[in-house]
Amino acid sequence: MSTAEFENAVRERIEDAIAGSPAEDTEILVTSNISALTRFANNQIHQNHHEENAEVTVRCAVGRRWGTVTTNSLDPEALKKAVDDAADAARLLPDDPEFIPSAEGPYRYSFTPEFDKPTAECEPSRRALMVKKGFEKVPDGYEAAGTLSTGAVTLGVFSARGISAITSATTAEYTILLTGKTSSGYAEETSRRVTAIDPAAIAKRAAEKAIAGENPRSDLDIGRYTVILEEEAVATFLMFFSWTGFGGQEFADGESFLCGRLGEKITGENITIVDDAADPRTFGLPFDFEGMPRQRLTIIEHGIARGVAHSRKTASKSGALPTGHSVGPWGAYPTNLILSPGDSSRDEMIKATERGILVSRFHYSNVVDPKKTVYTGLTRDGTFLIENGEIACGLTNFRWTQNALEALEKADMISAEQRFNSAFFGGGAVVPAIRTHEFNFSGKSDH
């Protein structure tokens, strides 16, 4: 069955279920996934995984009450039962003072994400050959661990009030961690197409990082330093921003660090952050979990806080307009963040730094104070001392505890190159590398 045939079959079954609903309003969200993964460690493949699943969330409204039932079956009988059960559940619930009906459509969506059939159907043998290409770049004395994942997702949103949206997209991701006696190096790449993944080139990047960090110094004192944060470290900042400040639910509840600060300068003028699902580098989808079109959202513009992401419900609570960022019962979050580039290169940042620290990525990061954007974590897989404009040596890792907005306030160099990088705890963002000052290293690791 082709992707279009699958989407049409899902649409027909869901719309039949809604037509037969006994409720006053019915909304159905469908997510269908093909997920395949080859995992490796100690320079050998040790696991292949393939999973196909669907989740159907049915909401039925009776009066001002929503009843919800989930199932993982798209069979007509299962869908009918889920609709009837959701309507029954709604009748048993008290009125919801924040009740809003389902979205009213239809809408036109501005883009269609890429669906690559070879990625959706990638066989374990092909992934194994690709992983082997990465092994060929592993230096003597190092062991490689990581994953090569391929898959596809179909998202559909339908309602009794005219929403009828369904789309499919593919993703491939390769990660590799090289570990030696005294150092490690990490690299990753994500694409809509598995053919765009080059494991040899990615493994070579990880190897270069690991070799450069061999025999690290451990005598550098903790304290505040000029730092160059490479893309993956910056992506972690943005994902924490998304979860603790850029979401409409946190804003409506008074928990966001942007509460009362829209229109204020909160970072340097060289910082602009937008959420743009239509940018192909972000791997976004054209509509949210309510079927609303995803809008390009400016969150920080030249240092000024401009807005947060809203679902219809959080927008109603804040007196704002929905922005197409609903993630269902979890509220509203921007998940396709982009930090605008600067005009420097990584090498120019290093040459301009008399003494500082280059951080490749963060690990084990967490939130200390969400209202003050104080986060903490460890450096990992490539921490280097910069002296007189050159990488002097590798360093053992530090614990950092830092106000992230202050770090952006003090960012004076930003790279022209941007990359999509995953972030600790999931998600990712399109980000450049940045140089900032007085970055706080609060503790040391012995490795």
Side-chain angles (χ1 to χ4, degrees), residues 313-332:
K313 188 170 186 177
T314 66
S316 176
K317 293 173 69 174
S318 298
L321 295 174
T323 59
H325 290 86
S326 169
V327 289
W330 300 280

mmCIF file of all heavy atoms in Angstrom, residues 313-332:
data_model
loop_
_atom_site.group_PDB
_atom_site.id
_atom_site.type_symbol
_atom_site.label_atom_id
_atom_site.label_comp_id
_atom_site.label_asym_id
_atom_site.label_seq_id
_atom_site.Cartn_x
_atom_site.Cartn_y
_atom_site.Cartn_z
ATOM 1 N N LYS A 313 -6.571 26.314 23.442
ATOM 2 C CA LYS A 313 -6.942 26.428 24.855
ATOM 3 C C LYS A 313 -6.046 27.412 25.590
ATOM 4 O O LYS A 313 -6.531 28.281 26.331
ATOM 5 C CB LYS A 313 -6.879 25.057 25.525
ATOM 6 C CG LYS A 313 -7.418 25.030 26.944
ATOM 7 C CD LYS A 313 -7.541 23.600 27.440
ATOM 8 C CE LYS A 313 -8.225 23.551 28.806
ATOM 9 N NZ LYS A 313 -8.417 22.153 29.255
ATOM 10 N N THR A 314 -4.725 27.298 25.396
ATOM 11 C CA THR A 314 -3.828 28.222 26.108
ATOM 12 C C THR A 314 -3.989 29.638 25.584
ATOM 13 O O THR A 314 -3.854 30.604 26.338
ATOM 14 C CB THR A 314 -2.358 27.774 25.995
ATOM 15 O OG1 THR A 314 -1.919 27.862 24.628
ATOM 16 C CG2 THR A 314 -2.181 26.345 26.489
ATOM 17 N N ALA A 315 -4.291 29.776 24.284
ATOM 18 C CA ALA A 315 -4.534 31.116 23.739
ATOM 19 C C ALA A 315 -5.766 31.744 24.381
ATOM 20 O O ALA A 315 -5.776 32.925 24.731
ATOM 21 C CB ALA A 315 -4.699 31.033 22.222
ATOM 22 N N SER A 316 -6.805 30.932 24.573
ATOM 23 C CA SER A 316 -8.025 31.437 25.193
ATOM 24 C C SER A 316 -7.744 31.898 26.621
ATOM 25 O O SER A 316 -8.254 32.947 27.055
ATOM 26 C CB SER A 316 -9.092 30.337 25.186
ATOM 27 O OG SER A 316 -10.256 30.757 25.867
ATOM 28 N N LYS A 317 -6.916 31.154 27.346
ATOM 29 C CA LYS A 317 -6.624 31.509 28.735
ATOM 30 C C LYS A 317 -5.768 32.771 28.828
ATOM 31 O O LYS A 317 -5.814 33.487 29.830
ATOM 32 C CB LYS A 317 -5.900 30.345 29.428
ATOM 33 C CG LYS A 317 -6.771 29.114 29.604
ATOM 34 C CD LYS A 317 -6.003 27.927 30.135
ATOM 35 C CE LYS A 317 -5.584 28.126 31.568
ATOM 36 N NZ LYS A 317 -4.945 26.886 32.107
ATOM 37 N N SER A 318 -4.963 33.041 27.780
ATOM 38 C CA SER A 318 -4.045 34.187 27.821
ATOM 39 C C SER A 318 -4.557 35.374 27.033
ATOM 40 O O SER A 318 -3.847 36.393 26.931
ATOM 41 C CB SER A 318 -2.670 33.752 27.277
ATOM 42 O OG SER A 318 -2.102 32.738 28.069
ATOM 43 N N GLY A 319 -5.727 35.257 26.429
ATOM 44 C CA GLY A 319 -6.233 36.352 25.606
ATOM 45 C C GLY A 319 -5.415 36.561 24.350
ATOM 46 O O GLY A 319 -5.288 37.687 23.853
ATOM 47 N N ALA A 320 -4.857 35.465 23.832
ATOM 48 C CA ALA A 320 -4.019 35.541 22.630
ATOM 49 C C ALA A 320 -4.672 34.739 21.503
ATOM 50 O O ALA A 320 -5.763 34.183 21.656
ATOM 51 C CB ALA A 320 -2.623 34.989 22.940
ATOM 52 N N LEU A 321 -3.994 34.685 20.371
ATOM 53 C CA LEU A 321 -4.468 33.891 19.246
ATOM 54 C C LEU A 321 -3.685 32.583 19.190
ATOM 55 O O LEU A 321 -2.478 32.553 19.498
ATOM 56 C CB LEU A 321 -4.279 34.657 17.931
ATOM 57 C CG LEU A 321 -5.115 35.940 17.783
ATOM 58 C CD1 LEU A 321 -4.706 36.675 16.503
ATOM 59 C CD2 LEU A 321 -6.602 35.603 17.738
ATOM 60 N N PRO A 322 -4.323 31.473 18.801
ATOM 61 C CA PRO A 322 -3.572 30.214 18.668
ATOM 62 C C PRO A 322 -2.528 30.329 17.564
ATOM 63 O O PRO A 322 -2.727 31.030 16.569
ATOM 64 C CB PRO A 322 -4.666 29.194 18.317
ATOM 65 C CG PRO A 322 -5.800 29.995 17.785
ATOM 66 C CD PRO A 322 -5.757 31.328 18.471
ATOM 67 N N THR A 323 -1.419 29.631 17.776
ATOM 68 C CA THR A 323 -0.308 29.697 16.816
ATOM 69 C C THR A 323 -0.051 28.370 16.114
ATOM 70 O O THR A 323 0.893 28.251 15.347
ATOM 71 C CB THR A 323 0.979 30.130 17.539
ATOM 72 O OG1 THR A 323 1.274 29.176 18.571
ATOM 73 C CG2 THR A 323 0.823 31.516 18.153
ATOM 74 N N GLY A 324 -0.877 27.349 16.411
ATOM 75 C CA GLY A 324 -0.669 26.057 15.756
ATOM 76 C C GLY A 324 0.413 25.225 16.421
ATOM 77 O O GLY A 324 1.157 24.519 15.736
ATOM 78 N N HIS A 325 0.495 25.281 17.759
ATOM 79 C CA HIS A 325 1.541 24.548 18.464
ATOM 80 C C HIS A 325 0.995 23.603 19.527
ATOM 81 O O HIS A 325 1.692 23.270 20.498
ATOM 82 C CB HIS A 325 2.524 25.531 19.105
ATOM 83 C CG HIS A 325 3.380 26.252 18.110
ATOM 84 N ND1 HIS A 325 2.983 27.414 17.481
ATOM 85 C CD2 HIS A 325 4.600 25.958 17.612
ATOM 86 C CE1 HIS A 325 3.933 27.809 16.664
ATOM 87 N NE2 HIS A 325 4.936 26.945 16.719
ATOM 88 N N SER A 326 -0.261 23.165 19.387
ATOM 89 C CA SER A 326 -0.807 22.231 20.355
ATOM 90 C C SER A 326 -0.067 20.894 20.312
ATOM 91 O O SER A 326 0.219 20.358 19.238
ATOM 92 C CB SER A 326 -2.297 21.980 20.059
ATOM 93 O OG SER A 326 -2.772 20.895 20.834
ATOM 94 N N VAL A 327 0.210 20.375 21.499
ATOM 95 C CA VAL A 327 0.735 19.006 21.617
ATOM 96 C C VAL A 327 -0.248 18.186 22.453
ATOM 97 O O VAL A 327 0.137 17.370 23.282
ATOM 98 C CB VAL A 327 2.158 18.983 22.209
ATOM 99 C CG1 VAL A 327 3.160 19.516 21.215
ATOM 100 C CG2 VAL A 327 2.226 19.769 23.521
ATOM 101 N N GLY A 328 -1.519 18.472 22.231
ATOM 102 C CA GLY A 328 -2.573 17.713 22.897
ATOM 103 C C GLY A 328 -2.659 18.034 24.377
ATOM 104 O O GLY A 328 -2.576 19.198 24.784
ATOM 105 N N PRO A 329 -2.834 17.016 25.220
ATOM 106 C CA PRO A 329 -3.016 17.276 26.658
ATOM 107 C C PRO A 329 -1.795 17.867 27.333
ATOM 108 O O PRO A 329 -1.873 18.300 28.488
ATOM 109 C CB PRO A 329 -3.341 15.886 27.220
ATOM 110 C CG PRO A 329 -2.764 14.927 26.242
ATOM 111 C CD PRO A 329 -2.902 15.578 24.898
ATOM 112 N N TRP A 330 -0.658 17.904 26.640
ATOM 113 C CA TRP A 330 0.566 18.445 27.247
ATOM 114 C C TRP A 330 0.683 19.956 27.055
ATOM 115 O O TRP A 330 1.670 20.551 27.481
ATOM 116 C CB TRP A 330 1.796 17.731 26.685
ATOM 117 C CG TRP A 330 1.749 16.268 26.956
ATOM 118 C CD1 TRP A 330 2.067 15.618 28.123
ATOM 119 C CD2 TRP A 330 1.304 15.249 26.056
ATOM 120 N NE1 TRP A 330 1.849 14.277 27.986
ATOM 121 C CE2 TRP A 330 1.395 14.015 26.733
ATOM 122 C CE3 TRP A 330 0.848 15.261 24.746
ATOM 123 C CZ2 TRP A 330 1.022 12.818 26.140
ATOM 124 C CZ3 TRP A 330 0.478 14.064 24.154
ATOM 125 C CH2 TRP A 330 0.576 12.855 24.853
ATOM 126 N N GLY A 331 -0.279 20.570 26.401
ATOM 127 C CA GLY A 331 -0.248 22.019 26.260
ATOM 128 C C GLY A 331 0.186 22.457 24.879
ATOM 129 O O GLY A 331 -0.297 21.940 23.853
ATOM 130 N N ALA A 332 1.117 23.402 24.835
ATOM 131 C CA ALA A 332 1.594 23.948 23.557
ATOM 132 C C ALA A 332 3.075 24.265 23.680
ATOM 133 O O ALA A 332 3.481 24.963 24.621
ATOM 134 C CB ALA A 332 0.813 25.211 23.193
#
